Structures are given as structure tokens and as C-alpha cells.
Amino acid sequence: MRFLFYFLLVANVAFFFWSLGHRDTKRHVDVKAVEAAGRLLLRSEVADVHGEIPSPPVETPPPARADVALPPGEGACYRIGPFAESAEARKVLGLVKEWIERASTTSESSESLDGYWLLYPKAENMDEAKGNRKMLMDKGIKDVWLIDKGDMAGTISLGIFKTREEAETELLRLSKLNVRAQIRPRITQSETVWIQFAWDKSPLELDEVMIQLRGENAAVSMPPLRLCPPPKL
């Protein structure tokens, strides 16, 4: 009996170790993965499960901006001038129209500086103005002209000078004769003629046209090219 008892004990121990070595061990399954059956895990979720540091998201570059061509407009306004004579402007216009068909002439009134006036102050009436003229002539001043019309009626002109320096020299001479005069710019109105056109291409192309136009017509005096002034409000 004792022998049988030890035999069964040894057999049970052997069977226990044999079954332990052949047990079907399974991998640990994450609870979150089981709960989300049928759903693919995101990379960040997998990283949370395994304790990994997720890689930073790749930034998608913004779409490239498409260059949109602007619709062509009427172009910039240019003009050549001024011309003192209409005939001269028409001559140059004929040359310009070989390159720029839409060119035309236009005229405008403009003010220009035409020397400096030396004036004796305006009198209150013509009798007083005539007395001033006699006084100036008695002092030996020969260039005396009494203005009897317009806004300057009653003023006496003592000469017109090309430069201000010349007018100041004469003013100094008259002051020694106890004649008080004043210098005033002489502004005159004149009509000027321009060649005007619209250009809808690049300014560089226009410069090339003007260079070739002047090169082929060197004998013709051509004023500079400039932009048209803004319209007056």
C-alpha cells in the first residue's frame, strides 16, 4: 500500500508539470482594442497603448497661388510736348503715327514766366497816375509806361528784365533816386500743343519705340515724353 501511495503521488506531480509546460498561453489583449472591435486604431492611439512618443504630424503645404492675369485696360496716357507751333506738332505726329496709330494732337492754355517786371505802385486814380509818371520822367527815368487798362490800370512799368538779378540791379539804381519800385514776375498766357496717346503695353517697350523713332529722325527736334497730368477736379 505504501508503495502504491508513492507511485500515485509521483505520477500526479509528473502530470502536473507536464500539463504546465503545454498550456496554451495567449498574448495580452488591450481592453481598449477589444472595446473598439472592428475599428482601425489611429497612430496616436497605438502609441498610447505601447507607451511610444508619437511623431509630429506632417504639415500639408498650402496650395500654390495661381497667378490670375488681369484684363487689359485702356492703357496709360502719355504725351509729347509742348510744341510752340501747331505745324511743328503735326510734323512730329506724322512720325509718331508710324508706330502709334492712336496718337493725336491736343492744345491747352498754360501760364509761363516771361521775365520780371519792375513796377511803380498803382495810383488810386488816373490823374494821380499821370502825376507819378511826370515825377519819374523829371528824375531822368526814360523807360516809363503808364498802364491804363485792366487790373493793373494806374500802375507804371519801369521795364521788363529777363532775370531777377537784372531787375534787382535796376531797383537798386532807382532807390538812389528815391523811387520806390517793386519786382513782380511777368506771367503770360499761351496756347501749347501736345501729341497725346494711350499705351497699353509695358513702359520699356515704349522707351524702345521712342529711342528708335528719335534715331531714325535725328534732324527733327522732338520734345520729351511724359505722362499726362491727372484730370482737374
Coordinates of all heavy atoms in Angstrom, one line a residue, residues 80 83 85-106 193-197 213 220-223:
I80 N 3.7 114.0 -75.7 CA 5.0 114.5 -76.2 C 4.8 116.0 -76.4 O 3.8 116.5 -77.0 CB 5.5 113.9 -77.5 CG1 5.6 112.4 -77.3 CG2 6.8 114.5 -77.9 CD1 5.8 111.6 -78.6
F83 N 4.7 121.9 -77.8 CA 5.1 122.5 -79.1 C 4.6 123.9 -79.1 O 3.4 124.1 -78.8 CB 4.6 121.7 -80.3 CG 5.1 120.3 -80.4 CD1 4.4 119.2 -79.8 CD2 6.2 120.0 -81.1 CE1 4.9 117.9 -79.9 CE2 6.7 118.7 -81.2 CZ 6.0 117.7 -80.6
E85 N 4.4 125.7 -81.9 CA 3.7 125.8 -83.2 C 3.0 124.6 -83.6 O 3.4 123.5 -83.4 CB 4.7 126.2 -84.3 CG 5.5 127.4 -84.1 CD 4.7 128.7 -84.1 OE1 3.6 128.6 -84.8 OE2 5.1 129.7 -83.6
S86 N 1.7 124.7 -84.1 CA 0.9 123.6 -84.5 C 1.5 122.9 -85.6 O 1.4 121.6 -85.7 CB -0.5 124.1 -84.9 OG -1.2 124.7 -83.8
A87 N 2.2 123.6 -86.5 CA 2.8 122.9 -87.7 C 3.9 122.0 -87.3 O 4.0 120.9 -87.8 CB 3.3 124.0 -88.7
E88 N 4.7 122.4 -86.3 CA 5.7 121.5 -85.8 C 5.2 120.3 -85.1 O 5.7 119.2 -85.3 CB 6.6 122.3 -84.8 CG 7.8 121.6 -84.2 CD 8.6 122.4 -83.2 OE1 8.2 123.5 -82.9 OE2 9.6 121.9 -82.7
A89 N 4.1 120.4 -84.4 CA 3.4 119.3 -83.7 C 2.9 118.3 -84.8 O 3.0 117.1 -84.6 CB 2.3 119.8 -82.8
R90 N 2.3 118.8 -85.8 CA 1.7 117.9 -86.9 C 2.9 117.2 -87.6 O 2.7 116.0 -88.0 CB 0.9 118.8 -87.9 CG -0.4 119.2 -87.3 CD -1.3 119.7 -88.4 NE -0.7 120.9 -89.1 CZ -0.9 122.2 -88.8 NH1 -1.7 122.4 -87.7 NH2 -0.4 123.1 -89.5
K91 N 4.0 117.8 -87.7 CA 5.1 117.1 -88.4 C 5.6 115.9 -87.6 O 5.8 114.8 -88.1 CB 6.3 118.1 -88.6 CG 7.5 117.5 -89.3 CD 8.6 118.6 -89.5 CE 9.8 118.0 -90.2 NZ 10.8 119.0 -90.4
V92 N 5.7 116.2 -86.3 CA 6.2 115.1 -85.4 C 5.1 114.0 -85.3 O 5.4 112.8 -85.2 CB 6.6 115.6 -84.0 CG1 6.9 114.5 -83.0 CG2 7.7 116.6 -84.1
L93 N 3.8 114.4 -85.3 CA 2.7 113.5 -85.2 C 2.7 112.5 -86.3 O 2.5 111.3 -86.1 CB 1.4 114.2 -85.2 CG 0.1 113.4 -85.2 CD1 0.1 112.5 -83.9 CD2 -1.1 114.2 -85.3
G94 N 3.1 113.0 -87.5 CA 3.2 112.1 -88.7 C 4.2 111.0 -88.5 O 4.0 109.8 -88.9
L95 N 5.3 111.3 -87.8 CA 6.4 110.3 -87.5 C 5.9 109.4 -86.4 O 6.1 108.1 -86.5 CB 7.7 111.0 -87.1 CG 8.2 112.0 -88.1 CD1 9.5 112.7 -87.5 CD2 8.7 111.3 -89.4
V96 N 5.2 109.9 -85.4 CA 4.8 109.1 -84.3 C 3.7 108.1 -84.7 O 3.7 106.9 -84.3 CB 4.3 110.0 -83.1 CG1 3.6 109.1 -82.0 CG2 5.4 110.8 -82.5
K97 N 2.8 108.5 -85.6 CA 1.7 107.6 -86.0 C 2.2 106.4 -86.8 O 1.4 105.5 -87.0 CB 0.7 108.4 -86.8 CG 0.0 109.4 -86.0 CD -1.3 110.0 -86.7 CE -2.4 108.9 -86.7 NZ -3.7 109.5 -87.1
E98 N 3.5 106.4 -87.3 CA 4.0 105.2 -87.9 C 4.2 104.1 -86.9 O 4.2 102.9 -87.3 CB 5.3 105.6 -88.6 CG 5.2 106.5 -89.7 CD 6.6 106.9 -90.4 OE1 7.6 106.2 -89.9 OE2 6.6 107.7 -91.3
W99 N 4.3 104.5 -85.6 CA 4.5 103.5 -84.6 C 3.2 103.4 -83.7 O 2.9 102.3 -83.2 CB 5.7 103.9 -83.7 CG 7.0 103.9 -84.4 CD1 7.5 104.9 -85.2 CD2 7.9 102.9 -84.5 NE1 8.7 104.6 -85.7 CE2 9.0 103.3 -85.3 CE3 8.0 101.6 -83.9 CZ2 10.1 102.5 -85.6 CZ3 9.1 100.8 -84.2 CH2 10.2 101.3 -85.0
I100 N 2.6 104.5 -83.5 CA 1.4 104.5 -82.5 C 0.2 105.1 -83.3 O 0.2 106.3 -83.5 CB 1.8 105.4 -81.3 CG1 3.1 104.9 -80.6 CG2 0.6 105.3 -80.3 CD1 3.6 105.8 -79.6
E101 N -0.7 104.3 -83.7 CA -1.8 104.7 -84.6 C -2.7 105.6 -83.8 O -3.3 106.5 -84.5 CB -2.5 103.5 -85.1 CG -1.7 102.6 -86.0 CD -2.5 101.4 -86.5 OE1 -3.6 101.3 -86.1 OE2 -1.9 100.6 -87.3
R102 N -2.9 105.5 -82.6 CA -3.9 106.2 -81.8 C -3.5 107.6 -81.4 O -4.2 108.3 -80.6 CB -4.4 105.4 -80.6 CG -5.2 104.2 -81.0 CD -5.7 103.4 -79.8 NE -4.5 102.9 -79.0 CZ -4.7 102.2 -77.9 NH1 -5.8 102.2 -77.3 NH2 -3.6 101.7 -77.3
A103 N -2.3 108.0 -81.8 CA -1.8 109.3 -81.4 C -2.5 110.5 -82.0 O -3.0 110.3 -83.2 CB -0.3 109.4 -81.7
S104 N -2.7 111.6 -81.3 CA -3.4 112.7 -81.9 C -2.8 114.0 -81.2 O -2.1 113.9 -80.2 CB -4.9 112.6 -81.7 OG -5.2 112.5 -80.3
T105 N -3.2 115.2 -81.7 CA -2.7 116.4 -81.1 C -3.8 117.0 -80.2 O -5.0 116.8 -80.5 CB -2.4 117.4 -82.2 OG1 -3.5 117.7 -83.1 CG2 -1.2 116.9 -83.0
T106 N -3.4 117.7 -79.2 CA -4.3 118.4 -78.3 C -3.7 119.7 -77.9 O -2.4 119.8 -77.8 CB -4.7 117.5 -77.1 OG1 -5.6 118.2 -76.2 CG2 -3.4 117.2 -76.3
V193 N 0.7 123.1 -77.8 CA 0.2 121.9 -78.5 C 1.0 120.7 -78.0 O 2.2 120.7 -77.8 CB 0.3 122.1 -80.0 CG1 -0.3 120.9 -80.7 CG2 -0.3 123.4 -80.5
W194 N 0.2 119.6 -77.8 CA 0.8 118.3 -77.4 C 0.4 117.2 -78.3 O -0.7 117.2 -78.9 CB 0.4 118.0 -75.9 CG 0.8 119.0 -74.9 CD1 0.1 120.2 -74.7 CD2 1.9 118.9 -74.0 NE1 0.8 120.9 -73.6 CE2 1.8 120.1 -73.2 CE3 2.8 118.0 -73.7 CZ2 2.7 120.4 -72.2 CZ3 3.8 118.2 -72.7 CH2 3.7 119.4 -72.0
I195 N 1.3 116.1 -78.4 CA 0.9 114.9 -79.0 C 0.5 113.9 -77.9 O 1.3 113.7 -77.0 CB 2.0 114.3 -79.9 CG1 2.3 115.3 -81.0 CG2 1.7 112.9 -80.4 CD1 3.5 114.8 -81.8
Q196 N -0.7 113.4 -77.9 CA -1.2 112.5 -76.8 C -1.6 111.2 -77.3 O -2.2 111.1 -78.4 CB -2.3 113.3 -76.1 CG -2.8 112.6 -74.8 CD -3.7 113.5 -74.0 OE1 -3.3 114.6 -73.7 NE2 -4.9 113.1 -73.7
F197 N -1.4 110.1 -76.5 CA -1.8 108.8 -76.9 C -1.9 107.9 -75.7 O -1.4 108.2 -74.6 CB -0.9 108.2 -78.0 CG 0.6 108.1 -77.5 CD1 1.0 107.0 -76.8 CD2 1.4 109.1 -77.7 CE1 2.3 106.9 -76.3 CE2 2.8 109.1 -77.2 CZ 3.2 107.9 -76.5
L213 N 12.5 105.9 -82.8 CA 11.9 107.0 -83.5 C 12.8 108.2 -83.6 O 13.0 108.8 -84.7 CB 10.6 107.4 -82.8 CG 9.6 108.2 -83.6 CD1 8.2 107.9 -83.1 CD2 9.9 109.7 -83.5
V220 N 14.9 116.0 -86.6 CA 13.6 116.6 -86.1 C 13.8 116.8 -84.6 O 14.2 115.9 -83.8 CB 12.4 115.7 -86.4 CG1 11.2 116.2 -85.8 CG2 12.3 115.4 -87.9
S221 N 13.5 118.0 -84.1 CA 13.5 118.4 -82.7 C 12.2 117.8 -82.1 O 11.1 118.3 -82.4 CB 13.6 119.9 -82.5 OG 13.6 120.2 -81.2
M222 N 12.4 116.8 -81.2 CA 11.3 116.2 -80.5 C 11.3 116.4 -79.0 O 12.3 116.0 -78.4 CB 11.3 114.7 -80.9 CG 10.0 114.0 -80.5 SD 10.0 112.2 -81.0 CE 10.3 112.5 -82.8
P223 N 10.3 117.0 -78.5 CA 10.3 117.2 -77.0 C 10.2 115.9 -76.3 O 10.0 114.9 -76.8 CB 9.0 118.0 -76.8 CG 8.7 118.6 -78.1 CD 9.2 117.6 -79.2

